[in-house]
Amino acid sequence: MNIEKSIQIYLEWKESHTTVAFERYEIRLEQFKQFIGETTALRSVKGDDIVAYHKQMDQFYSPATVAYSARILRNFFYFWHGRREVGFNPKEIIPIRFINPNKDIVTKEDYQEMDELLDVNCYDDLKKKLVLHLLWDTGMRISELCDIELSHISEENDEGLRTAKVRSRKSMRYNLVVWGRETNELLIKFLGVRLCQDVTTDKLLINIKTGKPYTARSIQRWIKELADLAMLDKNITPHSFRHGKANYILDEGGSVRDVSAILRHVKPESSFHYMQLSTKRYLDVARKYVTA
């Protein structure tokens, strides 16, 4: 069996139980196929070939991407090792260790500065303003934001709160996100235009020129442009709002349990991670337990 056929079979198996991982795995495995040669026999691939491939990747990709590629290839070869189609032990594929740089977070002040740049009476600004508010109010992942459909959004309750069902691509579970009155007012204005569009998709965020849903890349570009215009000396991304929301909850006296509930974490340790994202909060806690 050659590499091309083995990747095809593996991806069909992967797609049967995880759509998101399938898309990412497909990209990396296709790159490996180009490196090793699509007609190369699977059984002839050695551990040294994997090492050579990742050395080549080092020239063009970040350590995080190389480590992720190693995990994908290890899983791929474990799959075929179980079927006795591989001539080496996949344990030889060891992802490199590296230190992630500190991630920039969005503070309430950052969010407000970006928000003030936008005019609610301009439709292009209105949609970006709505995105900012939804990201800040809910701490949603960008994939969850892009996936919101009109039918997922509830009616406003007596307190001015509105909810929507979002699906996490990590756990494939549906959860509720909640936003407040100000964000809801923006949503109502936005829906005045959105509901007039004759499109087939039910997605909330669509490009009215093409009728197609906005992609994560579009929203990433909007956030970067706004951060630059606000002259924020940070590498702000949509995910920075999620980190910012967690820190805001803790700074306002909330608990790790509150962070876990609002951000819909499946694993408790994900919430505890935010305890050290803020140097000030970490020092405030540590100061209580050091010798005077």
Side-chain angles (χ1 to χ4, degrees):
M1 183 188 309
N2 63 30
I3 284 291
E4 183 173 34
K5 183 64 176 178
S6 64
I7 289 176
Q8 178 186 342
I9 293 172
Y10 174 77
L11 288 175
E12 287 174 355
W13 170 80
K14 197 73 180 176
E15 187 179 22
S16 69
H17 61 278
T18 169
T19 305
V20 177
F22 160 79
E23 294 170 353
R24 295 172 180 171
Y25 278 43
E26 182 178 32
I27 293 170
R28 297 299 165 207
L29 289 172
E30 285 296 316
Q31 288 180 335
F32 177 70
K33 182 180 74 175
Q34 296 302 318
F35 173 81
I36 201 73
E38 60 185 38
T39 60
T40 301
L42 176 63
R43 188 174 290 277
S44 70
V45 178
K46 306 297 181 186
D48 290 343
D49 296 322
I50 311 299
V51 172
Y53 171 60
H54 287 133
K55 280 186 177 180
Q56 183 195 64
M57 283 190 71
D58 281 337
Q59 303 174 43
F60 308 103
Y61 295 94
S62 70
T65 301
V66 176
Y68 186 52
S69 173
R71 288 194 294 272
I72 290 174
L73 288 177
R74 184 171 60 183
N75 290 342
F76 169 73
F77 283 105
Y78 262 124
F79 173 84
W80 286 111
H81 188 260
R83 299 188 178 194
R84 300 185 179 183
E85 293 286 346
V86 174
F88 72 100
N89 191 333
K91 287 183 178 180
E92 293 181 30
I93 305 175
I94 303 175
I96 62 170
R97 294 182 179 272
F98 64 95
I99 299 175
N100 261 326
N102 290 333
K103 296 177 180 178
D104 287 327
I105 64 172
V106 172
T107 64
K108 187 175 182 180
E109 291 72 25
D110 295 335
Y111 151 67
Q112 289 172 336
E113 287 187 29
M114 295 167 71
D115 185 55
E116 288 171 0
L117 294 169
L118 300 168
D119 181 1
V120 72
N121 296 310
C122 168
Y123 174 75
D124 192 54
D125 279 7
L126 174 62
K127 71 186 179 188
K128 294 175 183 177
K129 200 174 185 75
L130 176 62
V131 164
L132 281 182
H133 280 250
L134 287 172
L135 288 172
W136 178 257
D137 271 10
T138 68
M140 275 190 288
R141 300 178 179 90
I142 189 171
S143 60
E144 295 169 338
L145 177 60
C146 291
D147 285 346
I148 288 183
E149 298 185 359
L150 297 175
S151 58
H152 294 164
I153 302 173
S154 73
E155 296 292 331
E156 181 181 359
N157 69 12
D158 295 337
E159 298 175 324
L161 300 178
R162 196 188 286 258
T163 64
K165 284 184 178 179
V166 297
R167 189 184 70 175
S168 168
R169 295 185 182 180
K170 284 189 173 182
S171 65
M172 301 303 286
R173 292 167 52 187
Y174 280 95
N175 295 286
L176 284 180
V177 293
V178 183
W179 58 85
R181 192 181 301 276
E182 187 176 349
T183 303
N184 194 46
E185 290 174 359
L186 291 172
L187 175 66
I188 291 170
K189 285 181 179 290
F190 177 79
L191 288 177
V193 178
R194 168 65 182 85
L195 294 176
C196 293
Q197 304 307 307
D198 184 19
V199 294
T200 56
T201 179
D202 192 38
K203 290 287 193 298
L204 171 65
L205 298 172
I206 64 164
N207 185 326
I208 59 175
K209 294 181 180 179
T210 65
K212 295 181 180 179
Y214 280 111
T215 63
R217 190 175 296 277
S218 294
I219 295 174
Q220 288 166 346
R221 187 176 65 253
W222 298 346
I223 298 300
K224 186 179 187 309
E225 290 172 352
L226 287 170
D228 288 344
L229 286 172
M231 293 185 288
L232 301 179
D233 189 21
K234 296 180 178 180
N235 181 26
I236 299 297
T237 69
H239 206 73
S240 303
F241 284 78
R242 187 168 172 83
H243 294 312
K245 186 67 174 182
N247 279 270
Y248 180 71
I249 292 169
L250 294 171
D251 287 342
E252 290 296 301
S255 67
V256 173
R257 186 184 294 272
D258 295 330
V259 172
S260 181
I262 297 298
L263 299 190
R264 306 166 307 283
H265 284 146
V266 175
K267 298 179 180 179
E269 56 266 30
S270 298
S271 303
F272 279 100
H273 169 70
Y274 290 101
M275 290 298 292
Q276 289 193 19
L277 273 183
S278 167
T279 301
K280 179 182 179 301
R281 187 185 315 110
Y282 178 70
L283 291 175
D284 288 344
V285 173
R287 189 178 293 115
K288 299 177 183 178
Y289 305 103
V290 297
T291 304

